[in-house]
Amino acid sequence: MDAKTGANIKTGKFVVGDRDTTFPIYEGTIGPSVIDIGKFYAETGMFTYDPGYTSTGSCESKITYIDGDEGILLYRGYPIEQLAEHGDFLETCYLLLYGELPTAAQKADFDNRVTHHTMVHEQMSRFYQGFRRDAHPMAVMTGCVGALSAFYHDSTDISDPTQRMIASIRMIAKMPTIAAMAYKYSIGQPFIYPKNDLDYATNFLRMCFAVPCEEYKPNAVLARAMDRIFILHADHEQNASTSTVRLAGSSGANPFACIAAGCACLWGPAHGGANEAALNMLREIGKPERIPEYIRRAKDKNDSFRLMGFGHRVYKHYDPRAKIMQKTCHEVLSEIGVKDDPLLDVALELERIALHDDYFIEKKLYPNIDFYSGITLKAMGFPTTMFTVLFAVARTVGWISQWKEMIEDPHQKIGRPRQLYTGATQRDYVPISRRK
Ligand code: SDX
């Protein structure tokens, strides 16, 4: 890709023992440069070591950029605040997939293509019957998304650009349907089919909350909030679930299987499961006067408790998405007529205290996107178990865009990290009769 062909490549020198070794340095358009250590093992006989990849770039990408110190998030160079304010989610999907904002004609064509892929194969509904009604919807999502590859053999040839784009459109279009079906199944209500004359967010809310016995009345404020929440969650550089999708895709696995792997990773409470965990934490705290006890626990090294919705590997300042999420939260609460939500009172007071506490200031722990999303989604009528599902619906476009970028990267090869081995040295087998 471009950075690897730059004429004026600088080099970095490593002194390992009595050997000097130099490696090329590549500069990006913005952000830190990288040192290419691909030949480090060949040159030094050692591996580099960076569990959690705190200082390791896994790829070159043109999709999303985060400046964690300044609290900046750009999708293809456009600030998240402007996209959330002026655009809609499908415009963001087009931007992430194609790299440019669509013209009016391109947007109309893209919306039409997505709209006409929103139904799932009718036999998909039988998968749901196999789950217990009280199964966590993320278990259902992970299973059903992986099952898509059993239905769409005509878009699993990843070497064919046309099939890659069809698979991308299918994933973006069908995730809301699969998610809504998981929700309906969990509450024992019939599945609601998508309706092609509705926009993406309204269609999704209708599939979740409509019932066959009465006319569904869309709420434009809630639909706008849902659409904005999808925009905020669409992509985020090489986060854990996106890296999972890239690693799965590097073996040539089909895109549906890769997205299922992304769902599985996102489910973790340290990642996409944090919105559900954050709301459960606010419920456990219950009232502002109990906050100091939890702040103390969060600081206690011997206590595994963490303030869910706080902290981030990259943002060492306010997560720009959290600010927009907080604004959306107030809009939704006022639209549904909630004057004082006790959970919001706890959240606002917890944020106020934490932002003035030396521990959180020193460790640069600020609210992240998950801190306010839970309160908003609960106010919109979703159970906490659906929060990560909604995150997965939104993040699918980011996963699939990053997957496509990786497949189209001529330097791409299967990902296969090495290790520091500290296990037993070689030893001979001992028959069981002689083991003590
Ligand atoms: C998402 O990567 C992405 O981009 C993710 C995401 C996306 O859009 O894809 O932004 C979505 O996952 C947001 C993050 C949601 N997770 C949470 O809200 C869970 C709570 N947060 C933490 O678990 C933690 O902050 C992480 C996992 C988010 C980040 O962890 P790091 O970067 O590995 O940092 P760390 O765990 O090493 O913490 C650094 C220090 C530690 O103290 P020391 O060991 O240095 O003394 O900060 C402390 C931690 O103990 N700390 C916290 C804390 N988060 C970190 N202390 C209390 N409460 C917290 N929430």
Side-chain angles (χ1 to χ4, degrees):
M1 292 181 49
D2 306 356
K4 295 178 179 56
T5 53
N8 56 342
I9 287 188
K10 295 186 187 131
T11 58
K13 181 183 284 190
F14 277 83
V15 178
V16 180
D18 55 359
R19 287 187 62 185
D20 286 8
T21 45
T22 57
F23 299 93
I25 290 175
Y26 307 133
E27 291 177 350
T29 40
I30 34 178
S33 299
V34 298
I35 185 161
D36 181 345
I37 54 163
K39 294 190 169 46
F40 190 88
Y41 177 52
E43 298 279 333
T44 68
M46 287 201 291
F47 297 139
T48 59
Y49 183 66
D50 182 12
Y53 309 112
T54 48
S55 304
T56 297
S58 60
C59 64
E60 177 180 342
S61 181
K62 302 178 188 306
I63 299 174
T64 295
Y65 176 73
I66 301 170
D67 182 329
D69 295 327
E70 298 301 321
I72 291 170
L73 170 58
L74 307 176
Y75 289 167
R76 300 284 190 178
Y78 294 97
I80 188 73
E81 296 85 350
Q82 295 180 26
L83 292 169
E85 186 65 34
H86 303 299
D88 68 17
F89 178 62
L90 285 186
E91 178 182 76
T92 289
C93 290
Y94 185 98
L95 174 65
L96 291 171
L97 274 173
Y98 289 96
E100 297 298 335
L101 288 171
T103 62
Q106 289 166 334
K107 176 73 167 52
D109 169 63
F110 186 75
D111 286 6
N112 186 57
R113 280 188 284 151
V114 172
T115 299
H116 289 87
H117 278 285
T118 47
M119 284 211 307
V120 292
H121 192 292
E122 192 61 15
Q123 283 178 227
M124 279 284 290
S125 55
R126 297 205 197 133
F127 282 111
Y128 292 78
Q129 312 308 331
F131 290 100
R132 286 173 39 146
R133 291 277 179 180
D134 61 352
H136 193 293
M138 275 306 283
V140 179
M141 281 293 282
T142 308
C144 289
V145 169
L148 283 174
S149 37
F151 290 90
Y152 296 110
H153 301 288
D154 63 340
S155 61
T156 52
D157 175 1
I158 61 170
S159 64
D160 176 354
T162 306
Q163 291 196 33
R164 288 201 295 270
M165 189 47 86
I166 292 172
S168 305
I169 296 288
R170 276 180 165 149
M171 284 310 319
I172 294 166
K174 295 182 194 306
M175 284 297 269
T177 309
I178 292 170
M181 289 168 76
Y183 173 56
K184 284 303 201 186
Y185 184 73
S186 73
I187 57 175
Q189 287 187 357
F191 298 143
I192 300 291
Y193 286 100
K195 217 162 162 291
N196 288 351
D197 60 351
L198 297 176
D199 64 72
Y200 192 87
T202 306
N203 206 1
F204 174 63
L205 292 177
R206 180 179 169 279
M207 288 191 283
C208 289
F209 298 118
V211 286
C213 11
E214 61 189 36
E215 201 52 39
Y216 175 75
K217 296 182 193 63
N219 178 313
V221 173
L222 298 188
R224 179 74 189 119
M226 188 79 261
D227 193 83
R228 194 183 301 146
I229 291 169
F230 286 151
I231 292 172
L232 296 179
H233 288 80
D235 194 48
H236 215 236
E237 286 189 1
Q238 307 311 317
N239 58 83
S241 54
T242 298
S243 300
T244 300
V245 170
R246 277 181 171 260
L247 195 55
S250 73
S251 75
N254 74 70
F256 305 106
C258 295
I259 300 301
C263 288
C265 177
L266 185 75
W267 194 0
H271 187 15
N275 49 21
E276 179 177 353
L279 196 88
N280 292 337
M281 175 192 72
L282 294 173
R283 278 200 182 116
E284 184 186 332
I285 295 173
K287 43 189 183 232
E289 43 272 33
R290 293 190 63 201
I291 290 173
E293 171 200 342
Y294 285 85
I295 295 270
R296 183 191 52 72
R297 285 187 58 195
K299 297 179 191 175
D300 179 355
K301 284 266 154 269
N302 301 317
D303 190 330
S304 60
F305 173 79
R306 287 198 163 179
L307 286 180
M308 301 315 281
F310 269 79
H312 199 277
R313 171 62 59 78
V314 177
Y315 289 122
K316 299 311 172 192
H317 196 279
Y318 221 99
D319 181 337
R321 304 168 297 174
K323 284 205 181 82
I324 304 168
M325 201 67 243
Q326 190 189 64
K327 175 170 165 278
T328 305
C329 185
H330 287 296
E331 285 171 7
V332 166
L333 291 178
S334 69
E335 173 63 20
I336 57 175
V338 172
K339 293 281 174 284
D340 52 348
D341 179 337
L343 290 181
L344 181 62
D345 296 343
V346 173
L348 289 169
E349 180 59 9
L350 175 57
E351 179 185 23
R352 188 192 65 77
I353 295 174
L355 292 185
H356 291 84
D357 183 288
D358 291 344
Y359 175 89
F360 294 91
I361 292 168
E362 179 216 318
K363 292 195 185 292
K364 300 184 177 178
L365 300 174
Y366 291 87
N368 58 50
I369 189 165
D370 296 305
F371 189 62
Y372 285 104
S373 56
I375 301 169
T376 312
L377 296 173
K378 171 181 166 289
M380 293 175 76
F382 291 104
T384 46
T385 51
M386 276 295 288
F387 291 178
T388 309
V389 171
L390 303 179
F391 195 151
V393 170
R395 185 53 57 89
T396 292
V397 63
W399 289 333
I400 208 82
S401 301
Q402 299 267 355
W403 168 80
K404 256 173 97 286
E405 182 177 67
M406 177 202 64
I407 296 290
E408 290 157 9
D409 177 352
H411 300 279
Q412 185 268 331
K413 57 174 76 168
I414 190 167
R416 204 278 186 212
R418 306 306 298 267
Q419 64 177 11
L420 171 67
Y421 178 71
T422 55
T425 55
Q426 183 165 332
R427 50 186 172 165
D428 294 329
Y429 183 83
V430 178
I432 194 163
S433 58
R434 286 175 31 213
R435 291 174 212 158
K436 294 182 185 55

